[in-house]
Amino acid sequence: MVREIVASAPGKVNLHLGVGEARADGYHDLVSVFHAVDRRETVRLAVVGEPGAGPVVESMRTTFFVDRPGEDIDGPKNLAWRAVEAVAARAGVALPKVRIEVDKRVFVAGGMAGGSADAAAALVAANALAAEYGAALPPEALHEFAASLGADVPFALAGGTALGTGRGDELAPMLSRGRLHWVFVNPKIGIPTGEAFSLLDDLRHTNPALVPHLNTAELSQALTAGDATRVAAALHNDLEAPALQMRPVLRGLLEAAGEAGRRAVVSGSGPTVAVLCDDAEHARWAAEHLAAEFDGAEVFVAEGPDGGAVVERVC
Ligand code: ATP
């Protein structure tokens, strides 16, 4: 019988993040262009018991290839844990107990949706386990679970480059040509996502320039043309203004990163800065340069677009 299932899912950067008005349910309407990069999370389900009733997750352990956060994230609230239990509950057959092992390569709370990638990888891994017991769920069920786990999880499942509307979870794939080469720099100055959104709401009362940027036509054309110079010019993030207001030191990093690369923007709600470069060599050089200049920041290179969540191995 199956002993181990390994799956992976990508981290992301928002090539565009337009934030609309706050909705009655507390979420903001978003117009987001997600772009998956080849910095991937790995989720392993190790079978540790016989099929039986009740919860399937026995324990979980995350191994950090990025800085370890202050909090212990290995518990039932972890998105990977919740994803596995969601699939198991719907499968309707007894599944064996599993231990979840996550290899974390995407910054924690960095604005690159690492937790969402864990959830997406866990969904496809758990579905592969259910398939071994003749109870695979259809893709629609996985998408439904993904959206209920978090607004960024459907994209981690899908990968590629996609337009996200609604909470960011209503996805349409976008055409793009060529590869984009990135450096990601995490200055580790923690920006709580909720605070960034509400500060943007406040700033909009007094600063008329901070209108919602909801038009992605130029970015879309630049991607279709495979023109990295145009893509660089079209990068935009409405959450950059509140991020800079909350953490003014970010300005120095953004400027230095923009000079080292072709263009730099805050990724998602930050604080990670995404630096678009000309090619892989330029990205390596910019990464070394920025790591030396910003002592203590975490830096890696990645390229995109990359694929969505996928089962790598069943054995
Ligand atoms: P986003 O870009 O979607 O805002 P993020 O990259 O900023 O996400 P994550 O690392 O995905 O942030 O998650 C942030 C918080 O979510 C953590 O501080 C932790 O409390 C909780 N969490 C739940 N599951 C996970 C997980 N699998 N990995 C990391 N954090 C998780």
Side-chain angles (χ1 to χ4, degrees):
M1 230 27 221
V2 61
R3 286 176 292 123
E4 179 182 271
I5 293 170
V6 180
S8 73
K12 62 85 183 160
V13 55
N14 301 84
L15 304 181
H16 179 97
L17 184 51
V19 180
E21 303 301 323
R23 310 192 313 196
D25 64 4
Y27 286 98
H28 288 72
D29 274 317
L30 302 180
V31 173
S32 170
V33 176
F34 292 108
H35 180 74
V37 293
D38 62 357
R39 182 83 177 183
R40 297 178 72 87
E41 298 278 274
T42 305
V43 173
R44 190 176 305 106
L45 302 185
V47 173
V48 293
E50 296 302 315
V56 294
V57 182
E58 179 229 43
S59 61
M60 92 170 271
R61 191 189 64 197
T62 301
T63 303
F64 290 91
F65 296 87
V66 286
D67 272 10
R68 176 184 283 277
E71 59 177 330
D72 180 7
I73 61 169
D74 288 336
K77 285 190 185 154
N78 192 292
L79 289 174
W81 187 307
R82 291 171 51 202
V84 173
E85 292 295 4
V87 171
R90 177 75 70 88
V93 294
L95 295 178
K97 296 249 182 278
V98 296
R99 184 176 67 245
I100 304 175
E101 294 168 358
V102 176
D103 285 351
K104 185 160 276 294
R105 295 191 173 80
V106 175
F107 304 134
V108 178
M112 293 188 67
S116 302
D118 295 344
L123 283 174
V124 299
N127 204 32
L129 180 66
E132 292 290 317
Y133 290 82
L137 301 180
E140 308 83 68
L142 290 192
H143 279 90
E144 184 193 311
F145 287 138
S148 71
L149 288 164
D152 288 345
V153 184
F155 177 70
L157 210 49
T161 303
L163 180 67
T165 51
R167 293 188 306 149
D169 54 355
E170 290 159 29
L171 296 175
M174 287 174 77
L175 286 175
S176 78
R177 276 174 56 204
R179 307 286 294 160
L180 296 177
H181 297 269
W182 300 92
V183 180
F184 292 94
V185 185
N186 181 5
K188 294 184 280 183
I189 48 173
I191 298 182
T193 304
E195 283 178 35
F197 276 97
S198 48
L199 179 58
L200 177 60
D201 292 338
D202 292 346
L203 292 173
R204 280 180 169 160
H205 290 303
T206 51
N207 187 344
L210 295 177
V211 290
H213 288 70
L214 305 179
N215 187 339
T216 57
E218 167 56 21
L219 175 61
S220 169
Q221 284 167 21
L223 287 166
T224 310
D227 184 338
T229 308
R230 271 176 78 189
V231 172
L235 296 174
H236 176 80
N237 184 351
D238 277 351
L239 289 177
E240 201 158 280
L244 287 169
Q245 174 104 358
M246 285 163 83
R247 304 282 183 265
V249 307
L250 205 51
R251 193 174 295 282
L253 171 57
L254 263 181
E255 278 168 15
E259 278 163 25
R262 197 187 274 269
R263 176 94 196 280
V265 282
V266 169
S267 175
S269 57
T272 298
V273 168
V275 192
L276 184 55
C277 295
D278 295 338
D279 52 33
E281 197 181 328
H282 182 202
R284 271 194 302 276
W285 175 86
E288 274 176 31
H289 176 79
L290 291 167
E293 188 171 348
F294 294 90
D295 197 21
E298 288 187 277
V299 182
F300 58 72
V301 298
E303 50 181 276
D306 206 37
V310 67
V311 175
E312 309 265 1
R313 194 168 68 239
V314 178
C315 60

